[in-house]
Structures are given as structure tokens and as C-alpha cells.
Amino acid sequence: MAETSKADGGRLTTHVLDTATGKPAAGLSIALYRLDGSARTHLKTVATNADGRCDAPLLAGREFGIGEYELVFAAGDYLRGQGTELPKPAFLDSVPIRFGMAEPVHYHVPLLISPYGYSTYRGS
């Protein structure tokens, strides 16, 4: 089971930028999961605001726990909603990013997307 930390300093945030348009990806759905070995537990689903960010941290304070997580970005739904014609099946539809949080600090996991590529990094 994932070790938890009750430290108030731990938090998880994200944001999404559409590199094809050079704009924030507004209205993109993101699902957050906690990983525990082969178990995958859904914690919440949120959508990005007009700035491509979530209105609140995905995890913070007592919700934050040290362990492994996965963010699944609904990139295909977002791109189709922007009027982008995607092949069937789309090259990128759901974009999963698995990562670990080892200490109760700020983890920022952004996503840069386009119809045929994406990148991520540990931001600040």
C-alpha cells in the first residue's frame, strides 16, 4: 500500500498546453489514479480551466500521499473538441503519465500535447 504523508506542504498540480495552437488546453479531462503494485485506484477526475490548469491542486494537505500515481489526459477528446480531425484510431487518445512522489513537496506534472506528440517534465 502507498505510504501516506500528512504534511501540509505536499501537493500535486498540472497544466496542459496545446503546442499545435500555442494555447492552454481548456476543458481537457484528467483522471488521477493511485497505484499500489498491480492495483489502480481512481481518486478523481477534473477538467482544465481557460488557462489549461485545474482550479485547485489535484492532491494537497491530508489528501497528499507519498507513492506512485498516474494521470490520464483525455487528449483525443480535447483535440476533437477543438475541431482537429484525427484518424481512427487516433495516434494519441488517452495519454497516461506514471510518476512517483517521494517526499511531501510540490510536484507539478505538466503536459504539452499535439495530435502526434506529447512531452512532460517535473515542473515547479
Side-chain angles (χ1 to χ4, degrees):
M1 179 169 1
E3 178 185 337
T4 58
S5 170
K6 302 301 181 196
D8 289 335
R11 65 186 166 126
L12 171 63
T13 59
T14 188
H15 77 272
V16 186
L17 299 174
D18 182 336
T19 59
T21 64
K23 297 180 181 176
L28 190 143
S29 179
I30 306 166
L32 172 64
Y33 297 87
R34 183 187 319 270
L35 305 174
D36 185 14
S38 62
R40 184 175 178 245
T41 304
H42 178 260
L43 300 178
K44 64 178 66 174
T45 299
V46 298
T48 56
N49 60 24
D51 194 33
R53 299 178 182 274
C54 300
D55 289 332
L58 296 168
L59 295 173
R62 298 187 68 80
E63 290 183 313
F64 182 90
I66 291 170
E68 294 181 271
Y69 292 84
E70 180 179 55
L71 289 170
V72 180
F73 297 85
D77 290 345
Y78 162 78
L79 291 165
R80 284 186 285 275
Q82 298 302 302
T84 304
E85 288 192 37
L86 301 176
K88 293 181 184 178
F91 182 70
L92 295 175
D93 201 359
S94 294
V95 175
I97 299 175
R98 288 189 171 191
F99 57 96
M101 298 190 298
E103 53 189 316
V105 297
H106 182 195
Y107 287 84
H108 185 65
V109 183
L111 179 69
L112 308 175
I113 61 162
S114 74
Y116 294 98
Y118 69 92
S119 65
T120 190
Y121 55 93
R122 182 173 174 192
S124 59

